[in-house]
């Protein structure tokens, strides 16, 4: 009888161990299956994000072409500003995502000028107070165009604030210092540099060194002083290359430099 009990007990232990092993195997298989499912879901999410970004880029590029038709000078100005911002990134510790957003911000910072009357946009003489107020609306219009693109939320905020001043006296919201998005602070410097050095019908462009001195003079008031120093270092290095063209990755185009432009 005792032998039978011992045998029964042994069998029960074997059954328990077998059951435990089966449960462990089933659990491991379940974990493996769950991991595969999560990985597949993550991959699908990444694919959808990439697809959404591509759709947004395509739409934005179409809008950019509309700007070219509206005002070729502003279109080419935006390409140059993008190039200068890309040069500046050589001195900045930006992530790949931030560099991508900086390209977009530079390309689309003036997209709101599509809604600016030609008489104001192309006026060769000084703007009146009323005309200047009309021109000041373009950053908000740029924001309105981009804000509904989910992939461009950060870019939309940056273009809205690219005319804010470091001392808080800019527009549209009088942001100050580092309240202003980094991308907007960078674009303002590149934007101003191009405005000073490019040739217009009514004036010649300034030499680069003169423009650098202007940026330095207004550092701390209009511009982020740290970014100005890095911009000048990066631009001087770029000028030493003496290239006759520049490349914009986002639109995959090589742009020939204007011989009359700095």
């Amino acid at each position: 009888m005792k032998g039978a009990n011992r045998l029964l007990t042994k069998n029960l232990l074997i059954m328990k161990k077998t059951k435990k092993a089966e449960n462990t195997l089933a659990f491991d298989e379940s974990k493996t299956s769950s991991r595969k499912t999560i990985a597949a879901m993550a991959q699908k999410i990444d694919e959808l994000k990439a697809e959404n970004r591509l759709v947004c880029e395509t739409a934005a590029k179409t809008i950019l072409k509309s700007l070219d038709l509206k005002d070729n000078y502003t279109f080419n100005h935006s390409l140059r500003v993008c190039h200068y911002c890309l040069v500046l990134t050589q001195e900045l510790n930006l992530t790949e995502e931030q560099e991508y957003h900086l390209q977009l911000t530079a390309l689309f910072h003036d997209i709101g000028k599509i809604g600016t009357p030609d008489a104001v946009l192309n006026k060769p003489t000084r703007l009146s107070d009323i005309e200047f107020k009309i021109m000041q609306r373009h950053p908000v219009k740029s924001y309105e165009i981009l804000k509904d693109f989910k992939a461009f939320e950060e870019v939309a905020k940056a273009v809205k604030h690219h005319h804010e001043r470091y001392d808080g006296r800019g527009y549209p919201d009088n942001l100050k210092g580092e309240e202003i998005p980094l991308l907007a602070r960078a674009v303002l410097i590149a934007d101003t540099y191009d405005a000073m050095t490019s040739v217009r019908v009514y004036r010649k462009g300034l030499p680069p060194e003169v423009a650098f001195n202007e940026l330095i003079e207004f550092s701390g008031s209009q511009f982020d002083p740290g970014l100005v120093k890095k911009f000048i270092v990066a631009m001087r290095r770029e000028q030493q290359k003496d290239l006759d063209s520049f490349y914009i990755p986002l639109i995959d185009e090589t742009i020939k430099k204007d011989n009359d432009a700095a």
Side-chain angles (χ1 to χ4, degrees):
M1 190 69 179
K2 288 181 180 179
N5 287 337
R6 282 198 296 270
L7 182 59
L8 179 60
T9 301
K10 185 177 181 180
N11 288 337
L12 287 172
L13 287 172
I14 292 171
M15 290 174 64
K16 286 181 179 179
K17 289 180 180 179
T18 302
K19 187 67 175 176
K20 184 177 181 181
E22 290 175 350
N23 289 339
T24 300
L25 180 61
F27 179 70
D28 288 343
E29 289 177 347
S30 177
K31 281 175 64 178
T32 301
S33 177
S34 295
R35 285 172 183 165
K36 288 181 179 179
T37 301
I38 292 170
M41 289 174 64
Q43 182 179 352
K44 185 63 177 177
I45 290 171
D46 288 341
E47 289 173 356
L48 288 172
K49 284 181 178 178
E51 183 179 338
N52 181 51
R53 173 181 283 190
L54 182 59
V55 170
C56 289
E57 283 182 10
T58 301
K61 287 174 186 176
T62 301
I63 297 170
L64 192 62
K65 288 297 182 184
S66 298
L67 177 62
D68 186 14
L69 294 173
K70 164 80 173 181
D71 181 14
N72 181 255
Y73 171 81
T74 299
F75 172 75
N76 288 317
H77 158 75
S78 298
L79 296 181
R80 293 192 298 271
V81 170
C82 185
H83 167 59
Y84 299 144
C85 284
L86 286 171
V87 172
L88 174 59
T89 61
Q90 299 168 17
E91 294 295 315
L92 300 178
N93 187 26
L94 300 182
T95 64
E96 185 177 334
E97 189 76 359
Q98 285 175 318
E99 287 191 16
Y100 172 75
H101 285 157
L102 181 55
Q103 277 191 80
L104 285 167
T105 303
L107 284 174
F108 300 118
H109 73 284
D110 276 347
I111 203 72
K113 287 184 178 179
I114 287 175
T116 302
D118 290 342
V120 174
L121 190 60
N122 299 317
K123 187 176 180 180
T125 56
R126 186 182 180 87
L127 298 177
S128 68
D129 289 344
I130 293 176
E131 290 168 336
F132 185 65
K133 287 184 181 299
I134 292 172
M135 183 66 82
Q136 283 184 315
R137 296 174 191 164
H138 82 268
V140 174
K141 289 180 179 179
S142 297
Y143 169 77
E144 292 293 334
I145 289 170
L146 296 173
K147 68 182 178 66
D148 291 328
F149 292 100
K150 292 297 181 184
F152 297 164
E153 288 178 348
E154 184 178 348
V155 175
K157 292 176 184 176
V159 299
K160 180 180 180 182
H161 297 298
H162 78 275
H163 275 295
E164 304 285 1
R165 290 172 51 114
Y166 204 70
D167 59 9
R169 297 171 58 194
Y171 59 90
D173 294 328
N174 304 117
L175 299 185
K176 183 178 181 180
E178 294 192 5
E179 294 175 351
I180 307 167
L182 173 63
L183 304 183
R185 282 179 273 145
V187 166
L188 175 61
I189 293 169
D191 184 20
T192 306
Y193 175 81
D194 186 69
M196 289 190 290
T197 57
S198 60
V199 176
R200 300 304 302 267
V201 174
Y202 49 88
R203 64 155 174 80
K204 292 182 178 180
L206 296 176
E209 287 299 323
V210 175
F212 292 155
N213 289 335
E214 289 288 312
L215 293 176
I216 291 169
E217 181 178 349
F218 291 97
S219 290
S221 55
Q222 187 171 355
F223 310 111
D224 180 328
L227 284 182
V228 166
K229 290 178 182 177
K230 292 179 179 180
F231 179 80
I232 293 173
V233 168
M235 286 297 296
R236 282 176 174 157
R237 186 190 302 119
E238 183 71 13
Q239 287 166 357
Q240 290 175 357
K241 298 177 184 177
D242 196 26
L243 302 175
D244 62 0
S245 63
F246 58 87
Y247 178 68
I248 305 295
L250 188 64
I251 60 174
D252 192 25
E253 285 189 23
T254 298
I255 314 299
K256 191 166 183 63
K257 290 182 179 178
D258 184 344
N259 291 332
D260 294 326

